[in-house]
Amino acid sequence: MFTHIHKSGGTSLCKMAQMAGEKIPKPNKNCNYVGKWTDSFLGIKMPDYAKEHHHFTSCNERKKIWRWHGWTFAGIERYIDEGDFCNDFLNVIMLRHPTSRLESYLNYGAEKGWRHYEIGGEPDRKTLQKCLDHGECENVMHQHQIDNYITRTLAGPEASATEYRNLTTSHLQLAKAQLQKYDHVVFLEELSKENKLNELLDTLGWELTEGDILHGSHRNNVEKKYSFSTEAQRRLSKINDLDIKLYNWAKSMKNKVALT
């Protein structure tokens, strides 16, 4: 199972999995199962889904349906809940630096015509410029994306439903505990190094050519139109202090615990 943090390389991995011959769940959206329950990206609905808490499954049910169909690769692109983390599976997650992830999210929204943001469509130029120059992005991107989204994803439904700027170090500790359960933690920024990419391919048992990898790279298909200023990065880093602590902790721990 692959935990797909939105805008952290998951779409590329999904495409590569299919090129490698993995059997993907059906029906699915971006390799995320959307049948009896949904493993797909919840977007702005995320807090409401967290409160309702009925769009999920048990680990036994997940293993049962996976084995019945012979599925070999799947993603979860929402917060992690009970039944999502099964010890019988190889569990992998890819992390991306929080401000880099947000910049990618912004550019993806622009490339898609802003329609998936669900916060009133395309922002006016003044509002967008405040985001780019000063990191005041609350009226450009959904607040749960801006506010420690990685921690929200790993810490579970209560963290996901927590109001903007109200996460605490307790949520960070929950996210750290969850992160230690993974068999492999991959850092998107490191995949530009050939040895790290080959290590990932070996771990997943994929035999792909360089052409396959380039073809599967979602990043090559999205033009980087917007970049955050230094001031904007500073403000967004302050807002995402828990995510940055989690990211740095994971990088520092990967040689000390089972994070490779």
Side-chain angles (χ1 to χ4, degrees):
M1 290 298 299
F2 170 66
T3 298
H4 181 170
I5 306 290
H6 194 52
K7 303 314 301 170
S8 299
T11 298
S12 297
L13 206 64
C14 172
K15 291 179 179 179
M16 289 163 62
Q18 293 174 80
M19 287 187 285
E22 298 283 7
K23 191 170 182 182
I24 309 299
K26 293 182 180 180
N28 79 83
K29 184 177 181 181
N30 204 19
C31 289
N32 309 308
Y33 177 63
V34 285
K36 291 183 177 180
W37 65 89
T38 178
D39 289 334
S40 190
F41 179 58
L42 301 180
I44 197 169
K45 298 180 289 185
M46 205 165 184
D48 295 330
Y49 274 47
K51 291 171 184 174
E52 291 172 12
H53 199 52
H54 64 263
H55 285 265
F56 304 92
T57 188
S58 67
C59 196
N60 285 338
E61 178 66 16
R62 184 182 292 278
K63 289 190 288 186
K64 180 180 177 182
I65 193 170
W66 254 239
R67 287 169 177 163
W68 176 263
H69 292 285
W71 296 333
T72 60
F73 180 91
I76 299 177
E77 196 175 356
R78 52 163 173 75
Y79 66 81
I80 300 301
D81 199 4
E82 294 180 18
D84 294 333
F85 201 97
C86 304
N87 290 331
D88 290 357
F89 295 165
L90 179 71
N91 294 287
V92 178
I93 186 170
M94 185 131 65
L95 299 181
R96 183 178 194 170
H97 190 277
T99 56
S100 174
R101 192 194 73 82
L102 281 173
E103 195 170 82
S104 175
Y105 182 71
L106 177 67
N107 280 281
Y108 182 73
E111 191 266 340
K112 293 295 183 181
W114 307 97
R115 64 181 180 269
H116 78 300
Y117 278 53
E118 302 181 70
I119 56 173
E122 183 175 0
D124 60 60
R125 184 64 199 179
K126 183 177 180 181
T127 301
L128 178 58
Q129 204 62 47
K130 285 173 67 177
C131 174
L132 296 172
D133 292 346
H134 308 294
E136 298 174 15
C137 301
E138 288 82 354
N139 293 317
V140 176
M141 297 183 279
H142 187 252
Q143 290 183 353
H144 280 74
Q145 286 285 339
I146 302 170
D147 178 21
N148 295 290
Y149 181 75
I150 305 170
T151 300
R152 289 177 182 273
T153 299
L154 287 169
E158 188 274 330
S160 173
T162 298
E163 296 298 323
Y164 182 60
R165 303 296 298 270
N166 280 336
L167 289 181
T168 69
T169 54
S170 295
H171 295 113
L172 174 61
Q173 295 308 315
L174 285 171
K176 284 182 177 180
Q178 187 70 283
L179 198 56
Q180 290 193 82
K181 297 178 184 177
Y182 284 88
D183 298 295
H184 297 280
V185 177
V186 182
F187 297 91
L188 181 64
E189 292 84 357
E190 293 186 356
L191 292 186
S192 59
K193 303 173 184 176
E194 185 176 354
N195 63 319
K196 291 294 182 180
L197 180 58
N198 289 337
E199 182 181 312
L200 175 62
L201 296 177
D202 289 344
T203 296
L204 298 174
W206 295 350
E207 294 183 4
L208 297 175
T209 66
E210 184 177 349
D212 291 333
I213 295 166
L214 289 172
H215 180 71
S217 176
H218 185 59
R219 288 179 293 170
N220 292 336
N221 300 324
V222 178
E223 178 186 359
K224 185 176 179 180
K225 187 176 181 180
Y226 301 116
S227 298
F228 293 131
S229 70
T230 301
E231 181 184 337
Q233 290 186 33
R234 188 160 43 243
R235 181 176 189 268
L236 291 170
S237 294
K238 186 175 181 180
I239 293 172
N240 288 273
D241 62 326
L242 299 181
D243 271 5
I244 289 175
K245 287 176 181 176
L246 180 65
Y247 179 88
N248 290 337
W249 174 85
K251 294 203 82 171
S252 70
M253 292 292 288
K254 68 176 184 175
N255 293 323
K256 301 175 185 177
V257 293
L259 303 181
T260 60

